[in-house]
mmCIF file of all heavy atoms in Angstrom:
data_model
loop_
_atom_site.group_PDB
_atom_site.id
_atom_site.type_symbol
_atom_site.label_atom_id
_atom_site.label_comp_id
_atom_site.label_asym_id
_atom_site.label_seq_id
_atom_site.Cartn_x
_atom_site.Cartn_y
_atom_site.Cartn_z
ATOM 1 N N LEU A 5 -12.204 -9.176 3.588
ATOM 2 C CA LEU A 5 -10.881 -9.068 2.974
ATOM 3 C C LEU A 5 -11.034 -8.815 1.479
ATOM 4 O O LEU A 5 -11.764 -9.529 0.787
ATOM 5 C CB LEU A 5 -10.096 -10.362 3.207
ATOM 6 C CG LEU A 5 -8.761 -10.513 2.456
ATOM 7 C CD1 LEU A 5 -7.793 -9.416 2.847
ATOM 8 C CD2 LEU A 5 -8.162 -11.892 2.726
ATOM 9 N N LEU A 34 -3.263 -6.069 5.006
ATOM 10 C CA LEU A 34 -2.946 -7.404 5.501
ATOM 11 C C LEU A 34 -1.651 -7.825 4.800
ATOM 12 O O LEU A 34 -1.677 -8.270 3.660
ATOM 13 C CB LEU A 34 -4.068 -8.386 5.199
ATOM 14 C CG LEU A 34 -3.850 -9.808 5.717
ATOM 15 C CD1 LEU A 34 -3.694 -9.823 7.234
ATOM 16 C CD2 LEU A 34 -4.994 -10.726 5.291
ATOM 17 N N TYR A 70 -1.398 -20.010 6.282
ATOM 18 C CA TYR A 70 -2.659 -20.607 5.835
ATOM 19 C C TYR A 70 -2.750 -20.768 4.317
ATOM 20 O O TYR A 70 -3.596 -21.495 3.818
ATOM 21 C CB TYR A 70 -3.860 -19.808 6.347
ATOM 22 C CG TYR A 70 -3.849 -18.336 6.005
ATOM 23 C CD1 TYR A 70 -4.247 -17.876 4.756
ATOM 24 C CD2 TYR A 70 -3.465 -17.388 6.955
ATOM 25 C CE1 TYR A 70 -4.243 -16.532 4.453
ATOM 26 C CE2 TYR A 70 -3.466 -16.036 6.660
ATOM 27 C CZ TYR A 70 -3.853 -15.611 5.417
ATOM 28 O OH TYR A 70 -3.843 -14.269 5.117
ATOM 29 N N GLU A 71 -1.884 -20.093 3.573
ATOM 30 C CA GLU A 71 -1.889 -20.207 2.108
ATOM 31 C C GLU A 71 -0.543 -19.738 1.612
ATOM 32 O O GLU A 71 0.037 -18.800 2.155
ATOM 33 C CB GLU A 71 -3.006 -19.341 1.520
ATOM 34 C CG GLU A 71 -3.153 -19.399 0.005
ATOM 35 C CD GLU A 71 -2.185 -18.469 -0.733
ATOM 36 O OE1 GLU A 71 -1.757 -17.460 -0.132
ATOM 37 O OE2 GLU A 71 -1.852 -18.769 -1.897
ATOM 38 N N ARG A 84 -1.130 -16.688 9.768
ATOM 39 C CA ARG A 84 -2.288 -16.809 10.657
ATOM 40 C C ARG A 84 -2.199 -15.805 11.808
ATOM 41 O O ARG A 84 -3.216 -15.225 12.216
ATOM 42 C CB ARG A 84 -2.381 -18.221 11.219
ATOM 43 C CG ARG A 84 -2.736 -19.282 10.184
ATOM 44 C CD ARG A 84 -3.051 -20.625 10.827
ATOM 45 N NE ARG A 84 -3.322 -21.631 9.806
ATOM 46 C CZ ARG A 84 -4.491 -21.791 9.203
ATOM 47 N NH1 ARG A 84 -5.505 -21.001 9.531
ATOM 48 N NH2 ARG A 84 -4.658 -22.731 8.289
ATOM 49 N N LEU A 87 -3.109 -12.310 10.556
ATOM 50 C CA LEU A 87 -4.541 -12.239 10.250
ATOM 51 C C LEU A 87 -5.366 -12.118 11.524
ATOM 52 O O LEU A 87 -6.282 -11.284 11.609
ATOM 53 C CB LEU A 87 -4.968 -13.477 9.459
ATOM 54 C CG LEU A 87 -6.466 -13.587 9.145
ATOM 55 C CD1 LEU A 87 -6.939 -12.404 8.312
ATOM 56 C CD2 LEU A 87 -6.764 -14.897 8.426
ATOM 57 N N LEU A 91 -7.840 -8.915 12.374
ATOM 58 C CA LEU A 91 -9.288 -9.094 12.475
ATOM 59 C C LEU A 91 -9.858 -8.436 13.733
ATOM 60 O O LEU A 91 -11.006 -7.983 13.735
ATOM 61 C CB LEU A 91 -9.634 -10.582 12.468
ATOM 62 C CG LEU A 91 -9.519 -11.307 11.129
ATOM 63 C CD1 LEU A 91 -9.811 -12.794 11.293
ATOM 64 C CD2 LEU A 91 -10.476 -10.701 10.107
ATOM 65 N N LYS A 99 -5.256 -6.662 0.578
ATOM 66 C CA LYS A 99 -4.104 -7.547 0.425
ATOM 67 C C LYS A 99 -3.719 -7.667 -1.042
ATOM 68 O O LYS A 99 -4.581 -7.845 -1.906
ATOM 69 C CB LYS A 99 -4.449 -8.938 0.975
ATOM 70 C CG LYS A 99 -3.285 -9.936 0.961
ATOM 71 C CD LYS A 99 -3.731 -11.254 1.587
ATOM 72 C CE LYS A 99 -2.604 -12.278 1.638
ATOM 73 N NZ LYS A 99 -1.506 -11.850 2.533
ATOM 74 N N ASN A 108 -7.639 -19.482 -3.597
ATOM 75 C CA ASN A 108 -7.454 -20.382 -2.462
ATOM 76 C C ASN A 108 -7.992 -19.767 -1.175
ATOM 77 O O ASN A 108 -8.590 -20.467 -0.342
ATOM 78 C CB ASN A 108 -5.964 -20.709 -2.281
ATOM 79 C CG ASN A 108 -5.436 -21.646 -3.347
ATOM 80 O OD1 ASN A 108 -6.204 -22.362 -3.988
ATOM 81 N ND2 ASN A 108 -4.132 -21.652 -3.542
ATOM 82 N N LEU A 109 -7.781 -18.462 -1.008
ATOM 83 C CA LEU A 109 -8.247 -17.788 0.202
ATOM 84 C C LEU A 109 -9.757 -17.892 0.369
ATOM 85 O O LEU A 109 -10.263 -18.004 1.488
ATOM 86 C CB LEU A 109 -7.838 -16.319 0.185
ATOM 87 C CG LEU A 109 -6.382 -15.977 0.487
ATOM 88 C CD1 LEU A 109 -6.198 -14.471 0.527
ATOM 89 C CD2 LEU A 109 -5.941 -16.587 1.802
ATOM 90 N N LYS A 110 -10.476 -17.824 -0.733
ATOM 91 C CA LYS A 110 -11.939 -17.891 -0.649
ATOM 92 C C LYS A 110 -12.393 -19.203 -0.031
ATOM 93 O O LYS A 110 -13.416 -19.252 0.663
ATOM 94 C CB LYS A 110 -12.556 -17.710 -2.042
ATOM 95 C CG LYS A 110 -12.372 -16.323 -2.610
ATOM 96 C CD LYS A 110 -12.958 -16.220 -4.016
ATOM 97 C CE LYS A 110 -12.708 -14.853 -4.606
ATOM 98 N NZ LYS A 110 -13.269 -14.700 -5.968
ATOM 99 N N THR A 111 -11.651 -20.269 -0.287
ATOM 100 C CA THR A 111 -11.967 -21.572 0.294
ATOM 101 C C THR A 111 -11.424 -21.696 1.713
ATOM 102 O O THR A 111 -12.142 -22.097 2.637
ATOM 103 C CB THR A 111 -11.393 -22.703 -0.575
ATOM 104 O OG1 THR A 111 -11.956 -22.617 -1.879
ATOM 105 C CG2 THR A 111 -11.702 -24.066 0.021
ATOM 106 N N ILE A 112 -10.166 -21.318 1.885
ATOM 107 C CA ILE A 112 -9.504 -21.483 3.179
ATOM 108 C C ILE A 112 -10.163 -20.639 4.266
ATOM 109 O O ILE A 112 -10.302 -21.075 5.410
ATOM 110 C CB ILE A 112 -8.013 -21.120 3.055
ATOM 111 C CG1 ILE A 112 -7.299 -22.114 2.131
ATOM 112 C CG2 ILE A 112 -7.330 -21.088 4.412
ATOM 113 C CD1 ILE A 112 -5.907 -21.677 1.715
ATOM 114 N N LEU A 113 -10.581 -19.412 3.925
ATOM 115 C CA LEU A 113 -11.113 -18.477 4.916
ATOM 116 C C LEU A 113 -12.625 -18.362 4.899
ATOM 117 O O LEU A 113 -13.191 -17.454 5.513
ATOM 118 C CB LEU A 113 -10.497 -17.086 4.700
ATOM 119 C CG LEU A 113 -8.967 -16.991 4.809
ATOM 120 C CD1 LEU A 113 -8.517 -15.567 4.540
ATOM 121 C CD2 LEU A 113 -8.486 -17.467 6.166
ATOM 122 N N LYS A 114 -13.313 -19.291 4.230
ATOM 123 C CA LYS A 114 -14.762 -19.161 4.070
ATOM 124 C C LYS A 114 -15.511 -19.133 5.397
ATOM 125 O O LYS A 114 -16.590 -18.535 5.490
ATOM 126 C CB LYS A 114 -15.306 -20.279 3.173
ATOM 127 C CG LYS A 114 -15.154 -21.679 3.752
ATOM 128 C CD LYS A 114 -15.733 -22.711 2.791
ATOM 129 C CE LYS A 114 -15.593 -24.120 3.365
ATOM 130 N NZ LYS A 114 -16.159 -25.133 2.436
ATOM 131 N N ASP A 115 -14.948 -19.752 6.436
ATOM 132 C CA ASP A 115 -15.594 -19.752 7.748
ATOM 133 C C ASP A 115 -15.039 -18.661 8.657
ATOM 134 O O ASP A 115 -15.458 -18.550 9.814
ATOM 135 C CB ASP A 115 -15.412 -21.122 8.424
ATOM 136 C CG ASP A 115 -16.081 -22.250 7.650
ATOM 137 O OD1 ASP A 115 -17.151 -21.998 7.069
ATOM 138 O OD2 ASP A 115 -15.524 -23.357 7.618
ATOM 139 N N THR A 116 -14.088 -17.867 8.147
ATOM 140 C CA THR A 116 -13.450 -16.826 8.955
ATOM 141 C C THR A 116 -13.918 -15.436 8.553
ATOM 142 O O THR A 116 -14.308 -14.630 9.399
ATOM 143 C CB THR A 116 -11.919 -16.912 8.827
ATOM 144 O OG1 THR A 116 -11.490 -18.213 9.204
ATOM 145 C CG2 THR A 116 -11.239 -15.878 9.714
ATOM 146 N N LEU A 117 -13.873 -15.130 7.256
ATOM 147 C CA LEU A 117 -14.318 -13.835 6.759
ATOM 148 C C LEU A 117 -14.534 -13.905 5.251
ATOM 149 O O LEU A 117 -13.900 -14.719 4.576
ATOM 150 C CB LEU A 117 -13.320 -12.731 7.086
ATOM 151 C CG LEU A 117 -12.048 -12.582 6.253
ATOM 152 C CD1 LEU A 117 -11.399 -11.231 6.560
ATOM 153 C CD2 LEU A 117 -11.070 -13.694 6.506
ATOM 154 N N PRO A 118 -15.443 -13.076 4.721
ATOM 155 C CA PRO A 118 -15.658 -13.047 3.263
ATOM 156 C C PRO A 118 -14.447 -12.474 2.546
ATOM 157 O O PRO A 118 -13.803 -11.545 3.035
ATOM 158 C CB PRO A 118 -16.878 -12.122 3.097
ATOM 159 C CG PRO A 118 -17.484 -11.998 4.460
ATOM 160 C CD PRO A 118 -16.354 -12.167 5.430
ATOM 161 N N VAL A 119 -14.144 -13.042 1.369
ATOM 162 C CA VAL A 119 -13.036 -12.570 0.545
ATOM 163 C C VAL A 119 -13.580 -12.150 -0.816
ATOM 164 O O VAL A 119 -14.322 -12.899 -1.449
ATOM 165 C CB VAL A 119 -11.968 -13.669 0.358
ATOM 166 C CG1 VAL A 119 -10.849 -13.171 -0.563
ATOM 167 C CG2 VAL A 119 -11.402 -14.110 1.702
#
Side-chain angles (χ1 to χ4, degrees):
L5 171 61
L34 182 60
Y70 55 81
E71 182 277 335
R84 292 190 183 278
L87 176 60
L91 286 177
K99 184 177 182 65
N108 287 339
L109 284 184
K110 292 178 183 180
T111 300
I112 295 168
L113 300 179
K114 65 180 180 180
D115 297 325
T116 303
L117 78 167
V119 177

